[in-house]
Amino acid sequence: MISVVRKLMLRDLEIFRFFKDNVALAYVIIEDTRKPYTEEDKKLDPLCFLDEEDLNEIVNVFRIYFLSDEPLKRDDSVMLREFFGLLVNNSSFTNYIIQEYVDVKLYEYADDICNTETYQRMLEVVGSSYRIREINTESWLHLSQD
């Protein structure tokens, strides 16, 4: 049995916790960079085999990170890649990159009640420059029934 729990949803960032057979398999981070491929991205397999002209047509790259406490089994990796690859609107101007990371201390700081510091730490582990801003409860709009 597979289940997916969205842990965080921001404008350009979503974090999911993916379970397989009631065991946490990985955290999945989807980051909308709103930028084209970097020079480092272009060196990645299979991008390194594409023409520079084709790569330059992509103006928005999504980064999908799989973060687990141990290396993913090949079957699990393929399943995650297929599942989360479908969540990104792929077009002639948009594409995505999937990378896997292992943090042996992941479940020492990540649990069911994660906070912004926990998610920021996950982003640092995968090398993302995204910064989660603190939520200002003063700026929330509250519904009232006056």
Side-chain angles (χ1 to χ4, degrees):
M1 182 174 110
I2 293 172
S3 64
V4 181
V5 178
R6 180 184 283 144
K7 301 295 284 178
L8 180 69
M9 184 174 139
L10 301 174
R11 180 175 172 228
D12 298 328
L13 181 77
E14 290 189 71
I15 298 179
F16 300 88
R17 194 167 181 194
F18 193 90
F19 293 87
K20 179 181 172 189
D21 299 327
N22 295 321
V23 175
L25 190 61
Y27 279 90
V28 179
I29 302 166
I30 300 177
E31 179 185 356
D32 183 353
T33 66
R34 299 184 183 264
K35 298 177 185 173
Y37 289 120
T38 65
E39 291 305 314
E40 292 298 315
D41 295 340
K42 293 176 183 179
K43 296 176 186 174
L44 296 172
D45 185 24
L47 298 177
C48 61
F49 300 111
L50 298 176
D51 293 333
E52 186 76 21
E53 183 178 314
D54 293 336
L55 291 173
N56 290 336
E57 286 183 19
I58 303 297
V59 294
N60 190 28
V61 175
F62 284 84
R63 294 187 170 282
I64 303 174
Y65 307 105
F66 302 149
L67 181 60
S68 58
D69 63 336
E70 57 187 39
L72 293 171
K73 295 177 184 170
R74 178 162 170 64
D75 292 346
D76 292 336
S77 176
V78 169
M79 174 186 55
L80 287 170
R81 288 171 184 272
E82 289 175 355
F83 182 86
F84 286 97
L86 294 173
L87 292 181
V88 176
N89 290 334
N90 211 12
S91 71
S92 58
F93 301 108
T94 303
N95 209 341
Y96 62 89
I97 295 174
I98 296 177
Q99 295 175 296
E100 296 181 22
Y101 292 87
V102 174
D103 181 2
V104 294
K105 296 182 180 182
L106 176 64
Y107 294 109
E108 290 179 20
Y109 63 86
D111 55 22
D112 289 334
I113 309 172
C114 292
N115 55 31
T116 55
E117 291 84 19
T118 302
Y119 299 128
Q120 191 62 57
R121 182 170 176 179
M122 289 179 184
L123 290 170
E124 290 167 6
V125 168
V126 299
S128 173
S129 60
Y130 190 95
R131 296 289 168 246
I132 300 173
R133 293 185 294 150
E134 289 296 321
I135 298 171
N136 180 0
T137 56
E138 300 288 322
S139 63
W140 285 4
L141 297 175
H142 298 280
L143 298 176
S144 69
Q145 297 181 0
D146 293 339

